[in-house]
Amino acid sequence: MTFNYKKLQELHKKSGERSIDFSRAIFGKNSSLGPTYFNGKTEINTRHLEAMVQHYNVPFDYFFDTPQPGTTTNIGNMVSHNELGVGNLNINNDVKLLQQTICRLEKEIAEKNDMINWLKNQFNVLSDLLKESRSAASVSETEVGQNK
């Protein structure tokens, strides 16, 4: 699969949006890069791809040409020792590899969500303890004032 920047240009023209609006949606509020940034590119960073998919409400494969048998595609910018990093893919048109990667990443997301929930719970427990200690301290100050 090869990124086809012409498909992006077509979508951008059809949308009628300004380049600055595209830039902010894809690259962030402080960016001045427009759709022309992708001219001539056959590879794309997955962060930008994901942003374009959400921005234009199209499927991921919309931006890619149909793969030729035996071709290798590099999406993103880094692969090391046959391990796929988050946001970086190197595929040989292997759907199984992609599905395995998706499953692995979904598992990582679930584990991180569990950690986030545990940390939120710890935060709530500590906040409650702090509130209790503050209220106990204010009660003891009132009692000390009444004894005098």
Side-chain angles (χ1 to χ4, degrees), residues 43-87:
E43 298 176 355
I44 184 171
N45 184 295
T46 53
R47 277 182 302 153
H48 299 145
L49 176 62
E50 184 177 9
M52 289 188 300
V53 163
Q54 291 176 350
H55 184 68
Y56 289 114
N57 196 24
V58 294
F60 281 97
D61 61 350
Y62 176 87
F63 294 103
F64 295 93
D65 291 329
T66 307
Q68 301 300 319
T71 59
T72 299
T73 302
N74 182 15
I75 304 171
N77 55 12
M78 180 183 75
V79 178
S80 63
H81 307 292
N82 297 325
E83 287 194 23
L84 301 176
V86 176

Side-chain angles (χ1 to χ4, degrees), residues 7-124:
K7 291 182 179 184
L8 170 61
Q9 288 177 334
E10 290 171 13
L11 267 181
H12 181 67
K13 283 182 182 178
K14 284 180 187 177
S15 73
E17 73 179 330
R18 299 177 312 160
S19 290
I20 191 71
D21 295 329
F22 171 87
S23 176
R24 289 177 179 157
I26 306 307
F27 299 106
K29 66 180 182 177
N30 295 325
S31 177
S32 60
L33 296 173
T36 56
Y37 169 79
F38 294 102
N39 285 358
K41 294 194 186 279
T42 57
E43 298 176 355
I44 184 171
N45 184 295
T46 53
R47 277 182 302 153
H48 299 145
L49 176 62
E50 184 177 9
M52 289 188 300
V53 163
Q54 291 176 350
H55 184 68
Y56 289 114
N57 196 24
V58 294
F60 281 97
D61 61 350
Y62 176 87
F63 294 103
F64 295 93
D65 291 329
T66 307
Q68 301 300 319
T71 59
T72 299
T73 302
N74 182 15
I75 304 171
N77 55 12
M78 180 183 75
V79 178
S80 63
H81 307 292
N82 297 325
E83 287 194 23
L84 301 176
V86 176
N88 303 297
L89 301 175
N90 185 16
I91 61 172
N92 291 317
N93 301 326
D94 189 349
V95 174
K96 269 188 176 176
L97 177 63
L98 287 174
Q99 289 172 332
Q100 290 172 350
T101 302
I102 289 169
C103 288
R104 182 180 56 78
L105 292 174
E106 286 175 341
K107 182 180 176 188
E108 284 181 31
I109 289 170
E111 289 171 356
K112 290 181 185 216
N113 282 336
D114 289 343
M115 177 61 78
I116 288 169
N117 289 333
W118 181 83
L119 289 170
K120 283 180 180 176
N121 184 44
Q122 292 300 308
F123 175 79
N124 290 336

